[in-house]
Amino acid sequence: SDMCRLRHSDIKAGVLTYAMGKTGEVREIVLHEKALAILEHYPGKKWLFPLLDQALFGLKPSPAHNITMTKAIAAQNTIINKALKDVAAAARIDKRLTCHISRHTFADIARKKKLSTQVISELLGHSSIAITQAYFGSGFDDDTLDKAIRTVIE
C-alpha cells in the first residue's frame, strides 16, 4: 500500500521520504541508481507509480477518503499479483509470486548475504525482530546449516 501512495514530491536529491501507512513511521531511503533508473519511466503524474486514479490525489483525509483509498489499493494489489502470476508462468517459475512474497524473498536474500536480523528488520520496517524472524520460517536454509557443520567439525 505504501508503494501506491508514493508521490514524486516524496523524492528529493535521490532520497525517498515517506510515512509508512501501517505504523506512521517516517522512513528516509537513499535510492539506488537502479531504482532511480526505473523511476525515469514514470514521469509527470502526481503519484510516483500509475497505480491509483489521479482524482484520489490530494483529497483531504476523511473516513470516506480512507475507505476509498483502501479499496483502490486492494484492487491494485490484486491486479499486480495477477500480473506477477502471469510473469511467473511466462518465465516458467514454478513458485507463487506476490507483492508480499517479494518482501519475504528480499529478507531471505539479505539473510543469505549475511545481513544481521536487526538490519533486515529495520529495512522491512518491522516493529520487532520477532516479526522478521517469522519471515525466515522454521530455520536456516540447507547451505547455511551445511556450512555451520563444516565450521564446527573442521
Side-chain angles (χ1 to χ4, degrees):
S1 68
D2 288 343
M3 184 178 68
C4 289
R5 290 185 176 101
L6 295 176
R7 306 162 183 242
H8 282 282
S9 60
D10 294 336
I11 300 174
K12 292 185 178 71
V15 177
L16 171 66
T17 304
Y18 73 100
M20 292 178 64
K22 201 171 196 178
T23 64
E25 178 186 346
V26 175
R27 305 290 310 262
E28 287 189 354
I29 301 168
V30 175
L31 296 175
H32 188 280
E33 62 189 41
K34 290 180 182 180
L36 292 169
I38 290 168
L39 294 177
E40 288 177 13
H41 294 279
Y42 301 98
K45 301 282 184 173
K46 296 172 185 176
W47 299 114
L48 191 57
F49 298 107
L51 299 170
L52 297 177
D53 187 327
Q54 293 299 314
L56 294 173
F57 189 87
L59 293 178
K60 295 201 185 319
S62 68
H65 175 251
N66 291 341
I67 291 169
T68 301
M69 285 291 283
T70 299
K71 287 181 179 179
I73 289 168
Q76 286 304 312
N77 191 51
T78 299
I79 290 167
I80 292 168
N81 286 338
K82 169 71 171 91
L84 288 172
K85 184 178 180 179
D86 295 343
V87 166
R92 296 186 180 138
I93 297 171
D94 191 27
K95 294 190 183 224
R96 190 167 164 248
L97 298 181
T98 67
C99 293
H100 190 72
I101 288 173
S102 70
R103 287 177 56 82
H104 286 264
T105 302
F106 175 87
D108 192 50
I109 291 169
R111 178 180 62 160
K112 287 177 180 174
K113 290 191 175 206
K114 308 297 184 212
L115 271 67
S116 72
T117 303
Q118 177 69 39
V119 168
I120 296 168
S121 183
E122 289 285 328
L123 289 170
L124 294 172
H126 288 159
S127 58
S128 76
I129 289 180
I131 295 168
T132 308
Q133 289 170 330
Y135 266 52
F136 299 144
S138 61
F140 295 99
D141 59 275
D142 291 339
D143 291 341
T144 300
L145 294 174
D146 292 343
K147 184 178 178 185
I149 290 170
R150 283 193 304 277
T151 299
V152 170
I153 293 173
E154 294 174 356

